[in-house]
Coordinates of all heavy atoms in Angstrom, one line a residue:
M3 N 55.2 -46.5 84.6 CA 55.9 -46.2 85.8 C 55.0 -46.2 87.0 O 54.0 -45.5 86.9 CB 56.7 -44.7 85.6 CG 57.4 -44.4 86.9 SD 58.3 -42.8 86.7 CE 59.6 -43.0 87.7
E4 N 55.4 -46.9 88.0 CA 54.6 -47.0 89.2 C 54.8 -45.6 90.1 O 55.9 -45.2 90.1 CB 54.9 -48.2 90.1 CG 54.5 -49.5 89.3 CD 54.8 -50.7 90.2 OE1 54.0 -50.8 91.1 OE2 55.7 -51.4 90.0
N5 N 53.7 -45.2 90.7 CA 53.7 -44.0 91.5 C 53.9 -44.5 92.9 O 53.0 -45.0 93.6 CB 52.5 -43.2 91.4 CG 52.5 -41.9 92.0 OD1 53.2 -41.7 93.1 ND2 52.0 -40.8 91.4
F6 N 55.1 -44.2 93.5 CA 55.4 -44.7 94.8 C 54.5 -43.9 95.9 O 54.3 -44.6 96.9 CB 56.9 -44.4 95.1 CG 57.9 -45.3 94.3 CD1 59.2 -44.9 94.2 CD2 57.5 -46.5 93.7 CE1 60.1 -45.7 93.4 CE2 58.3 -47.2 93.0 CZ 59.6 -46.9 92.9
Y7 N 54.3 -42.7 95.6 CA 53.3 -41.9 96.5 C 52.0 -42.7 96.6 O 51.5 -42.9 97.7 CB 53.2 -40.5 96.1 CG 54.4 -39.7 96.1 CD1 55.2 -39.5 94.9 CD2 55.0 -39.3 97.3 CE1 56.4 -38.7 94.9 CE2 56.2 -38.6 97.4 CZ 56.8 -38.3 96.3 OH 58.0 -37.6 96.3
E8 N 51.4 -43.0 95.5 CA 50.2 -43.6 95.5 C 50.2 -45.1 96.1 O 49.4 -45.5 96.8 CB 49.6 -43.9 94.0 CG 49.1 -42.6 93.5 CD 48.6 -42.8 92.0 OE1 48.6 -43.9 91.5 OE2 48.3 -41.7 91.4
M9 N 51.3 -45.7 95.9 CA 51.5 -47.0 96.5 C 51.5 -47.0 98.0 O 51.1 -47.9 98.6 CB 52.9 -47.7 96.0 CG 53.1 -49.1 96.1 SD 54.7 -49.5 95.5 CE 54.6 -49.1 93.6
L10 N 52.1 -45.9 98.5 CA 52.2 -45.7 100.0 C 51.1 -45.1 100.6 O 50.8 -44.8 101.8 CB 53.5 -45.1 100.4 CG 54.8 -45.9 100.1 CD1 56.0 -45.0 100.7 CD2 54.8 -47.2 100.9
G11 N 50.2 -44.5 99.7 CA 49.0 -43.8 100.1 C 49.2 -42.4 100.7 O 48.5 -42.1 101.7
V12 N 50.2 -41.7 100.2 CA 50.5 -40.3 100.7 C 50.5 -39.3 99.5 O 50.8 -39.7 98.3 CB 51.9 -40.3 101.4 CG1 52.0 -41.2 102.6 CG2 53.0 -40.8 100.4
P13 N 50.3 -38.0 99.8 CA 50.4 -37.1 98.7 C 51.8 -37.0 98.4 O 52.8 -37.2 99.1 CB 49.7 -35.8 99.4 CG 49.8 -36.0 100.8 CD 49.8 -37.5 101.1
E14 N 52.1 -36.2 97.2 CA 53.5 -36.1 96.8 C 54.2 -35.0 97.6 O 55.4 -34.9 97.6 CB 53.4 -35.6 95.3 CG 53.0 -36.7 94.4 CD 53.1 -36.3 92.9 OE1 53.8 -35.3 92.6 OE2 52.5 -37.0 92.0
N15 N 53.5 -34.2 98.3 CA 54.2 -33.3 99.2 C 54.2 -33.7 100.6 O 54.5 -32.9 101.6 CB 53.6 -31.9 99.1 CG 52.0 -32.0 99.6 OD1 51.5 -33.0 99.8 ND2 51.5 -30.8 99.7
A16 N 54.2 -35.0 100.9 CA 54.1 -35.6 102.1 C 55.4 -35.4 102.9 O 56.5 -35.5 102.2 CB 53.8 -37.1 102.1
S17 N 55.3 -35.3 104.2 CA 56.6 -35.1 105.0 C 57.2 -36.5 105.2 O 56.6 -37.6 104.9 CB 56.3 -34.6 106.4 OG 55.5 -35.4 107.1
A18 N 58.5 -36.6 105.6 CA 59.1 -37.9 105.9 C 58.3 -38.7 106.9 O 58.2 -39.9 106.9 CB 60.6 -37.6 106.3
D19 N 57.8 -38.0 107.9 CA 57.1 -38.7 109.0 C 55.8 -39.3 108.5 O 55.4 -40.4 108.9 CB 56.8 -37.7 110.1 CG 57.9 -37.3 110.9 OD1 59.0 -38.1 110.9 OD2 57.9 -36.2 111.6
E20 N 55.1 -38.7 107.5 CA 53.9 -39.2 107.0 C 54.2 -40.5 106.1 O 53.4 -41.4 106.2 CB 53.1 -38.2 106.0 CG 52.6 -37.0 106.8 CD 51.9 -36.0 105.7 OE1 52.7 -35.3 105.1 OE2 50.7 -36.1 105.6
I21 N 55.3 -40.3 105.4 CA 55.7 -41.5 104.5 C 56.1 -42.6 105.5 O 55.6 -43.8 105.2 CB 57.0 -41.1 103.7 CG1 56.4 -40.0 102.6 CG2 57.5 -42.3 103.0 CD1 57.5 -39.4 101.8
K22 N 56.8 -42.4 106.5 CA 57.2 -43.4 107.5 C 56.0 -44.1 108.1 O 55.9 -45.3 108.2 CB 58.2 -42.8 108.5 CG 58.7 -43.9 109.4 CD 59.4 -43.2 110.6 CE 60.8 -43.7 110.7 NZ 61.6 -43.1 111.7
K23 N 55.1 -43.3 108.6 CA 53.9 -43.8 109.2 C 53.0 -44.6 108.3 O 52.7 -45.8 108.7 CB 53.1 -42.6 109.6 CG 51.7 -42.9 110.4 CD 50.9 -41.7 110.8 CE 49.6 -42.1 111.3 NZ 48.7 -41.0 111.6
N24 N 52.9 -44.3 107.1 CA 52.1 -45.0 106.2 C 52.7 -46.3 105.7 O 52.1 -47.3 105.6 CB 51.7 -44.2 104.9 CG 50.5 -43.4 105.1 OD1 50.3 -43.0 106.2 ND2 49.7 -43.2 104.1
F25 N 54.1 -46.2 105.6 CA 54.9 -47.5 105.2 C 54.7 -48.5 106.3 O 54.5 -49.6 106.2 CB 56.3 -47.1 105.0 CG 57.2 -48.4 105.0 CD1 57.1 -49.3 103.9 CD2 58.0 -48.7 106.1 CE1 57.9 -50.4 103.9 CE2 58.8 -49.8 106.0 CZ 58.7 -50.7 104.9
R26 N 54.9 -48.0 107.6 CA 54.9 -49.0 108.7 C 53.5 -49.6 108.8 O 53.4 -50.8 109.2 CB 55.2 -48.3 110.0 CG 56.7 -48.0 110.1 CD 57.0 -47.3 111.4 NE 58.3 -47.2 111.6 CZ 59.1 -46.8 112.6 NH1 58.3 -46.2 113.7 NH2 60.3 -46.6 112.6
S27 N 52.4 -48.8 108.6 CA 51.1 -49.4 108.5 C 50.9 -50.5 107.4 O 50.4 -51.5 107.7 CB 50.1 -48.3 108.3 OG 48.8 -48.8 108.2
L28 N 51.4 -50.2 106.2 CA 51.3 -51.1 105.1 C 52.2 -52.3 105.4 O 51.9 -53.4 105.0 CB 51.6 -50.4 103.9 CG 50.6 -49.4 103.2 CD1 51.2 -48.6 102.1 CD2 49.3 -50.1 102.9
A29 N 53.3 -52.1 106.0 CA 54.4 -53.2 106.2 C 53.7 -54.2 107.2 O 53.8 -55.4 106.9 CB 55.6 -52.6 106.8
K30 N 53.0 -53.6 108.2 CA 52.3 -54.7 109.1 C 51.1 -55.4 108.3 O 51.0 -56.6 108.6 CB 51.5 -53.9 110.2 CG 52.6 -53.3 111.2 CD 51.8 -52.5 112.3 CE 52.9 -51.9 113.2 NZ 52.2 -51.0 114.2
Q31 N 50.5 -54.7 107.4 CA 49.4 -55.4 106.6 C 50.0 -56.4 105.6 O 49.3 -57.4 105.4 CB 48.6 -54.3 105.9 CG 47.5 -54.8 105.1 CD 46.8 -53.6 104.4 OE1 47.1 -52.4 104.6 NE2 45.8 -54.0 103.5
Y32 N 51.1 -56.1 105.0 CA 51.6 -57.1 103.9 C 52.8 -57.9 104.2 O 53.3 -58.6 103.5 CB 51.9 -56.3 102.7 CG 50.7 -55.6 102.0 CD1 50.4 -54.3 102.0 CD2 49.7 -56.4 101.5 CE1 49.3 -53.7 101.4 CE2 48.6 -55.9 101.0 CZ 48.4 -54.6 100.9 OH 47.3 -54.0 100.3
H33 N 53.3 -57.8 105.5 CA 54.6 -58.4 105.8 C 54.4 -60.0 105.6 O 53.4 -60.6 106.1 CB 54.9 -58.2 107.2 CG 56.4 -58.6 107.5 ND1 56.8 -60.0 107.7 CD2 57.5 -57.9 107.6 CE1 58.1 -59.8 108.0 NE2 58.6 -58.7 107.9
P34 N 55.3 -60.7 105.0 CA 55.2 -62.1 104.6 C 55.2 -62.9 105.8 O 54.6 -64.0 105.8 CB 56.4 -62.5 103.7 CG 57.2 -61.2 103.6 CD 56.5 -60.0 104.4
D35 N 55.7 -62.6 107.0 CA 55.6 -63.3 108.1 C 54.3 -63.4 108.8 O 53.9 -64.2 109.6 CB 56.7 -62.9 109.2 CG 58.1 -63.2 108.8 OD1 58.3 -64.1 107.8 OD2 59.0 -62.7 109.4
I36 N 53.6 -62.3 108.5 CA 52.2 -62.1 109.1 C 51.1 -62.6 108.3 O 50.2 -63.4 108.7 CB 52.0 -60.7 109.5 CG1 53.0 -60.2 110.5 CG2 50.5 -60.5 110.0 CD1 53.0 -58.7 110.9
T37 N 51.2 -62.2 107.0 CA 50.2 -62.7 106.0 C 50.9 -63.5 104.8 O 51.8 -62.9 104.2 CB 49.4 -61.5 105.4 OG1 50.4 -60.6 104.8 CG2 48.7 -60.7 106.5
K38 N 50.4 -64.6 104.6 CA 51.0 -65.3 103.5 C 50.4 -64.9 102.1 O 49.3 -64.4 102.0 CB 50.6 -66.8 103.7 CG 50.9 -67.4 105.0 CD 52.5 -67.4 105.3 CE 52.8 -67.8 106.7 NZ 54.0 -67.4 107.2
G39 N 51.4 -64.9 101.1 CA 50.9 -64.6 99.7 C 51.1 -63.2 99.4 O 50.6 -62.7 98.2
H40 N 51.6 -62.3 100.2 CA 51.7 -60.9 99.9 C 53.2 -60.5 99.6 O 53.6 -59.3 99.9 CB 51.1 -60.0 100.9 CG 49.5 -60.0 100.8 ND1 48.8 -60.7 101.8 CD2 48.6 -59.6 100.0 CE1 47.6 -60.7 101.6 NE2 47.5 -59.9 100.4
D41 N 54.0 -61.4 99.3 CA 55.5 -61.2 99.2 C 55.8 -60.0 98.2 O 56.6 -59.1 98.4 CB 56.3 -62.4 98.7 CG 56.3 -63.5 99.8 OD1 55.8 -63.1 100.9 OD2 56.7 -64.6 99.5
D42 N 55.2 -60.1 97.0 CA 55.3 -59.1 95.9 C 54.9 -57.6 96.4 O 55.6 -56.7 96.2 CB 54.6 -59.4 94.6 CG 55.2 -60.6 94.0 OD1 56.4 -60.9 94.2 OD2 54.5 -61.4 93.3
Q43 N 53.8 -57.6 97.0 CA 53.3 -56.3 97.6 C 54.3 -55.7 98.6 O 54.5 -54.5 98.6 CB 51.8 -56.5 98.1 CG 51.2 -55.1 98.4 CD 51.0 -54.2 97.3 OE1 50.9 -54.7 96.1 NE2 50.8 -52.9 97.5
F44 N 54.7 -56.6 99.5 CA 55.6 -56.1 100.5 C 56.9 -55.6 100.0 O 57.4 -54.5 100.3 CB 55.9 -57.2 101.5 CG 56.8 -56.8 102.6 CD1 56.2 -55.9 103.7 CD2 58.1 -57.1 102.7 CE1 57.1 -55.5 104.7 CE2 58.9 -56.7 103.6 CZ 58.3 -55.9 104.7
R45 N 57.4 -56.3 98.9 CA 58.7 -55.8 98.2 C 58.5 -54.5 97.5 O 59.3 -53.7 97.6 CB 59.1 -56.9 97.2 CG 59.8 -58.1 97.7 CD 60.4 -58.9 96.7 NE 60.5 -60.2 97.2 CZ 59.8 -61.3 96.8 NH1 58.9 -61.0 95.8 NH2 59.9 -62.4 97.3
K46 N 57.2 -54.3 96.9 CA 56.9 -53.0 96.2 C 56.9 -51.9 97.2 O 57.6 -50.9 96.9 CB 55.6 -53.2 95.5 CG 55.7 -54.0 94.2 CD 54.4 -54.0 93.5 CE 54.5 -54.9 92.3 NZ 53.2 -55.1 91.6
I47 N 56.2 -52.0 98.3 CA 56.1 -50.9 99.3 C 57.4 -50.7 99.9 O 57.8 -49.5 100.2 CB 55.0 -51.1 100.3 CG1 55.2 -52.3 101.1 CG2 53.7 -51.1 99.6 CD1 54.2 -52.4 102.4
S48 N 58.3 -51.8 100.1 CA 59.6 -51.5 100.8 C 60.4 -50.8 99.9 O 61.2 -49.9 100.3 CB 60.2 -52.9 101.1 OG 59.5 -53.6 102.0
H49 N 60.5 -51.0 98.6 CA 61.2 -50.3 97.5 C 60.8 -48.9 97.5 O 61.6 -47.9 97.5 CB 61.1 -51.0 96.2 CG 61.9 -50.3 95.2 ND1 63.3 -50.2 95.2 CD2 61.4 -49.6 94.0 CE1 63.7 -49.5 94.1 NE2 62.6 -49.1 93.4
A50 N 59.5 -48.6 97.5 CA 58.9 -47.4 97.5 C 59.4 -46.5 98.7 O 59.9 -45.4 98.6 CB 57.4 -47.4 97.4
Y51 N 59.3 -47.1 99.8 CA 59.8 -46.4 101.1 C 61.3 -46.2 101.0 O 61.8 -45.0 101.4 CB 59.5 -47.3 102.3 CG 60.0 -46.6 103.6 CD1 59.4 -45.5 104.0 CD2 61.0 -47.2 104.2 CE1 59.9 -44.9 105.1 CE2 61.5 -46.6 105.4 CZ 60.9 -45.4 105.9 OH 61.4 -44.9 106.9
K52 N 62.1 -47.1 100.5 CA 63.5 -46.9 100.4 C 63.8 -45.8 99.5 O 64.7 -44.9 99.9 CB 64.1 -48.2 99.8 CG 65.6 -48.1 99.8 CD 66.2 -49.4 99.2 CE 67.8 -49.3 99.1 NZ 68.3 -50.5 98.6
V53 N 63.1 -45.5 98.5 CA 63.3 -44.4 97.5 C 62.9 -43.2 98.2 O 63.6 -42.1 98.2 CB 62.7 -44.6 96.2 CG1 62.7 -43.3 95.4 CG2 63.4 -45.8 95.4
L54 N 61.7 -43.1 98.7 CA 61.2 -41.9 99.2 C 61.6 -41.4 100.6 O 61.6 -40.2 100.9 CB 59.5 -41.9 99.3 CG 58.8 -42.2 98.0 CD1 57.4 -42.2 98.3 CD2 59.1 -41.1 97.0
S55 N 62.2 -42.3 101.3 CA 62.9 -41.9 102.6 C 64.3 -41.4 102.5 O 64.7 -40.8 103.5 CB 62.9 -43.1 103.6 OG 63.7 -44.1 103.1
N56 N 64.8 -41.5 101.3 CA 66.2 -41.0 101.0 C 66.0 -39.7 100.3 O 65.5 -39.7 99.2 CB 67.0 -42.0 100.2 CG 68.4 -41.6 99.9 OD1 68.6 -40.3 99.7 ND2 69.3 -42.4 99.7
P57 N 66.4 -38.5 100.8 CA 66.1 -37.2 100.2 C 66.8 -37.1 98.8 O 66.1 -36.5 97.9 CB 66.9 -36.2 101.2 CG 66.9 -36.9 102.4 CD 67.0 -38.3 102.3
E58 N 67.9 -37.6 98.6 CA 68.5 -37.5 97.3 C 67.7 -38.5 96.3 O 67.5 -38.0 95.1 CB 70.0 -37.9 97.2 CG 70.9 -37.0 97.9 CD 72.3 -37.5 97.9 OE1 72.6 -38.3 97.1 OE2 73.1 -36.9 98.8
A59 N 67.4 -39.7 96.6 CA 66.8 -40.5 95.8 C 65.3 -40.0 95.5 O 64.8 -40.2 94.4 CB 66.6 -41.9 96.5
R60 N 64.6 -39.4 96.6 CA 63.4 -38.8 96.4 C 63.4 -37.7 95.4 O 62.5 -37.6 94.6 CB 62.8 -38.4 97.7 CG 61.4 -37.9 97.6 CD 60.9 -37.6 98.9 NE 59.5 -37.0 98.9 CZ 58.8 -36.6 99.9 NH1 59.2 -36.6 101.1 NH2 57.5 -36.1 99.7
N61 N 64.3 -36.9 95.4 CA 64.5 -35.7 94.5 C 64.7 -36.3 93.1 O 64.0 -35.7 92.2 CB 65.7 -34.9 94.9 CG 65.8 -33.6 94.1 OD1 64.7 -33.0 93.7 ND2 67.1 -33.1 94.0
Y62 N 65.5 -37.2 92.9 CA 65.6 -37.8 91.5 C 64.3 -38.5 91.1 O 63.9 -38.3 89.9 CB 66.8 -38.8 91.6 CG 67.1 -39.5 90.2 CD1 67.7 -38.7 89.3 CD2 66.6 -40.7 90.0 CE1 67.9 -39.4 88.0 CE2 66.8 -41.3 88.8 CZ 67.4 -40.6 87.8 OH 67.7 -41.2 86.6
Y63 N 63.6 -39.2 92.0 CA 62.5 -39.7 91.6 C 61.3 -38.8 91.2 O 60.6 -38.9 90.2 CB 61.9 -40.7 92.8 CG 60.5 -41.2 92.5 CD1 60.3 -42.4 91.6 CD2 59.3 -40.7 93.1 CE1 59.1 -42.8 91.4 CE2 58.2 -41.2 92.9 CZ 58.0 -42.3 91.9 OH 56.7 -42.8 91.7
D64 N 61.3 -37.7 92.0 CA 60.3 -36.6 91.7 C 60.6 -36.0 90.3 O 59.6 -35.8 89.6 CB 60.4 -35.5 92.7 CG 59.7 -36.0 94.1 OD1 59.0 -37.0 94.1 OD2 60.0 -35.2 95.1
K65 N 61.8 -35.8 90.0 CA 62.2 -35.3 88.7 C 61.8 -36.2 87.6 O 61.2 -35.9 86.5 CB 63.7 -34.9 88.6 CG 64.0 -33.8 89.4 CD 65.5 -33.6 89.3 CE 66.0 -32.3 90.2 NZ 67.4 -32.2 90.2
T66 N 62.0 -37.5 87.8 CA 61.7 -38.5 86.8 C 60.2 -38.7 86.7 O 59.7 -38.8 85.5 CB 62.3 -39.9 87.2 OG1 63.7 -39.7 87.4 CG2 62.1 -40.9 86.2
L67 N 59.5 -38.5 87.7 CA 58.1 -38.7 87.7 C 57.4 -37.5 86.9 O 56.5 -37.7 86.1 CB 57.4 -38.7 89.1 CG 56.0 -39.0 89.4 CD1 55.6 -40.4 88.7 CD2 55.6 -38.9 90.9
N68 N 58.0 -36.3 87.1 CA 57.5 -35.2 86.4 C 57.8 -35.2 84.9 O 56.9 -34.9 84.1 CB 58.0 -33.8 86.9 CG 57.5 -33.5 88.3 OD1 56.3 -33.9 88.6 ND2 58.2 -32.8 89.0
I69 N 58.9 -35.8 84.6 CA 59.2 -36.0 83.2 C 58.3 -37.1 82.5 O 57.9 -36.9 81.4 CB 60.7 -36.4 82.9 CG1 61.6 -35.2 83.3 CG2 61.0 -36.9 81.6 CD1 63.0 -35.6 83.5
Y70 N 58.0 -38.1 83.3 CA 57.2 -39.2 82.8 C 55.8 -38.7 82.5 O 55.1 -39.1 81.5 CB 57.2 -40.2 83.8 CG 56.3 -41.6 83.4 CD1 56.7 -42.3 82.4 CD2 55.0 -41.7 83.9 CE1 55.9 -43.4 82.0 CE2 54.2 -42.8 83.6 CZ 54.7 -43.6 82.7 OH 54.0 -44.7 82.3
R71 N 55.3 -37.8 83.2 CA 53.9 -37.2 83.0 C 54.0 -36.4 81.8 O 53.2 -36.2 81.1 CB 53.6 -36.4 84.3 CG 53.2 -37.1 85.5 CD 52.8 -36.4 86.6 NE 52.8 -37.2 87.7 CZ 52.8 -36.7 89.0 NH1 52.8 -35.3 89.1 NH2 52.8 -37.5 90.0

């Protein structure tokens, strides 16, 4: 199981603002229109952000992550 927090470079107790800030930084770095060949990485960080930015999805992900460990 991939760790979305590690993928976005934030701690597990990160605030929504921290997650958003790191996602935007990574999105600029990996966006397919800016850099060629990083489509997969951009999709991964986009999915991680989508999950972690939604409080319900983040709560479910955190529970699943704890079970996985």
Side-chain angles (χ1 to χ4, degrees):
M3 176 177 209
E4 293 186 71
N5 188 324
F6 292 160
Y7 295 103
E8 288 177 5
M9 200 178 296
L10 294 178
V12 295
E14 291 185 17
N15 61 350
S17 68
D19 288 336
E20 287 177 285
I21 292 170
K22 184 185 233 179
K23 180 182 173 184
N24 278 31
F25 167 71
R26 287 185 174 178
S27 173
L28 290 170
K30 287 178 186 176
Q31 183 178 350
Y32 293 114
H33 196 281
D35 290 344
I36 298 170
T37 58
K38 305 298 179 204
H40 289 107
D41 295 348
D42 290 336
Q43 186 66 23
F44 183 75
R45 280 190 208 107
K46 287 179 182 180
I47 63 169
S48 295
H49 178 67
Y51 177 69
K52 183 178 178 179
V53 171
L54 297 182
S55 65
N56 178 331
E58 287 180 24
R60 183 177 180 181
N61 187 29
Y62 180 76
Y63 174 74
D64 288 343
K65 288 178 184 178
T66 305
L67 188 62
N68 286 332
I69 291 170
Y70 180 74
R71 292 183 188 158

